[in-house]
Amino acid sequence: AFGYLPAHLACEDADGRLRGVMPLLRQRGLVTGCRFSSLPRTPIGGPLAEDDQTRALLIESAIERTRAEPGAYLQIKMPAAMLDGLDVRLVGMPWRESYRLRLPERPEQLTFGTPRKHARVQWGVNKAIRLGVRVREADAVRDLRQWYGLYLETMRWFCVPPRPFRFFELAWEELRPRGMLRLLMAERMVAGRVQPMAGTVFLMFGQTVFCAFNGRRSEELALHPNDLIQWQAIHDACAARFREYDLGEVTRTHPQLAQFKRKWGAQPEWLWRYYYPHSREVEIGLIESRSRPGQLAHTLWQHLPLPATAALGVLAHRYF
């Protein structure tokens, strides 16, 4: 979807048995130069290994692969606990807080924070239902295209370059048949026609449901469509016996989004990034910057036509 070149690593023992793998992609940036990343455009990546020795070998191999290309640097996104006891040449730094909700065994056991907070959440859900909002699971690519328009509008509002539609199309084709992706849409009838209000793409793997990508119309937020989507998704995840519900990471400059995730009872956990030889991070999210040029870019971005933000998003994700 982004045009990155694969540089994946595998570790085998003397008998040829696979001991671990490390997904690794090479990206040529306009500002940062060459970067090897595990993984780009995701909150987490890194090696998958049977033991610490294999994990360390994969990381050191990635470092040597990076050293072989002048000016290149390495970025690895993995939990800090994966480095416990390992002697590797990486520089680590906390990146963002991600919000996770531990799920009970049965949906009827779900509570969202304190009784007062739970009642507030229930009030928003009931309001959405009372005003005619309904949630359904998308089942066709045309639904995905309709949702993508909402996503573009949302990314323009937050001044974040959107991922290309091809990314979501590939995910739909590859992951949905495996039961690893679903799209929930919030809609209501307006003048006899179904009007999309919001939608969220969820990814499922192992025991976790990830709330990955959201799109919504800002003028519809008072009707709480996202509350109804989250309520449905969390209850579905619990009924399907998932044990964790990940609401995703939040930038430090967006406290309202963090508040939305906290109201569901989710607790913050730091995501880390590791580098070699040192940190050379450039964020493509314009909301990260509070400088005068950043504020100007913020204002200009919010007034771009949606097709222009989509085109610039392709360039930003490819080269930054």
Side-chain angles (χ1 to χ4, degrees), residues 147-215:
W147 169 83
Y148 189 68
L150 300 177
Y151 168 77
L152 288 179
E153 184 177 331
T154 304
M155 294 299 98
R156 181 175 64 179
W157 174 257
F158 288 121
C159 298
V160 176
R163 285 165 170 76
F165 180 75
R166 181 58 178 158
F167 169 81
F168 297 106
E169 188 176 41
L170 284 170
W172 181 272
E173 294 172 358
E174 297 292 336
L175 301 180
R176 187 172 179 271
R178 295 174 168 85
M180 299 172 66
L181 179 148
R182 70 191 303 223
L183 167 60
L184 293 183
M185 297 287 294
E187 303 167 334
R188 67 169 180 153
M189 294 293 294
V190 178
R193 299 182 62 182
V194 177
Q195 176 177 303
M197 306 169 65
T200 301
V201 172
F202 297 91
L203 304 176
M204 291 81 74
F205 186 75
Q207 294 186 315
T208 305
V209 173
F210 300 87
C211 179
F213 304 99
N214 176 258

Side-chain angles (χ1 to χ4, degrees), residues 69-234:
E69 187 157 345
Y73 76 103
L74 174 66
Q75 175 198 69
I76 304 177
K77 308 170 184 178
M78 58 185 173
M82 291 181 64
L83 286 179
D84 289 349
L86 299 187
D87 184 17
V88 291
R89 296 171 290 172
L90 293 175
V91 176
M93 59 186 298
W95 178 54
R96 291 174 181 169
E97 286 185 314
S98 182
Y99 286 80
R100 287 189 167 229
L101 173 66
R102 305 293 190 266
L103 299 176
E105 293 185 358
R106 299 188 302 275
E108 57 267 25
Q109 296 174 321
L110 279 167
T111 57
F112 302 116
T114 64
R116 182 176 180 181
K117 290 182 178 179
H118 184 92
R120 185 69 178 173
V121 168
Q122 183 76 70
W123 175 86
V125 169
N126 291 340
K127 178 180 178 181
I129 295 173
R130 188 172 65 252
L131 294 175
V133 183
R134 297 293 182 266
V135 171
R136 68 173 179 90
E137 182 169 353
D139 58 5
V141 175
R142 64 176 179 273
D143 294 322
L144 185 67
R145 290 190 179 277
Q146 191 177 55
W147 169 83
Y148 189 68
L150 300 177
Y151 168 77
L152 288 179
E153 184 177 331
T154 304
M155 294 299 98
R156 181 175 64 179
W157 174 257
F158 288 121
C159 298
V160 176
R163 285 165 170 76
F165 180 75
R166 181 58 178 158
F167 169 81
F168 297 106
E169 188 176 41
L170 284 170
W172 181 272
E173 294 172 358
E174 297 292 336
L175 301 180
R176 187 172 179 271
R178 295 174 168 85
M180 299 172 66
L181 179 148
R182 70 191 303 223
L183 167 60
L184 293 183
M185 297 287 294
E187 303 167 334
R188 67 169 180 153
M189 294 293 294
V190 178
R193 299 182 62 182
V194 177
Q195 176 177 303
M197 306 169 65
T200 301
V201 172
F202 297 91
L203 304 176
M204 291 81 74
F205 186 75
Q207 294 186 315
T208 305
V209 173
F210 300 87
C211 179
F213 304 99
N214 176 258
R216 83 291 185 276
R217 298 194 190 282
S218 57
E219 62 269 22
E220 304 282 5
L221 289 178
L223 278 65
H224 298 268
N226 280 325
D227 283 349
L228 193 55
I229 288 174
Q230 292 295 332
W231 180 274
Q232 182 71 50
I234 293 172

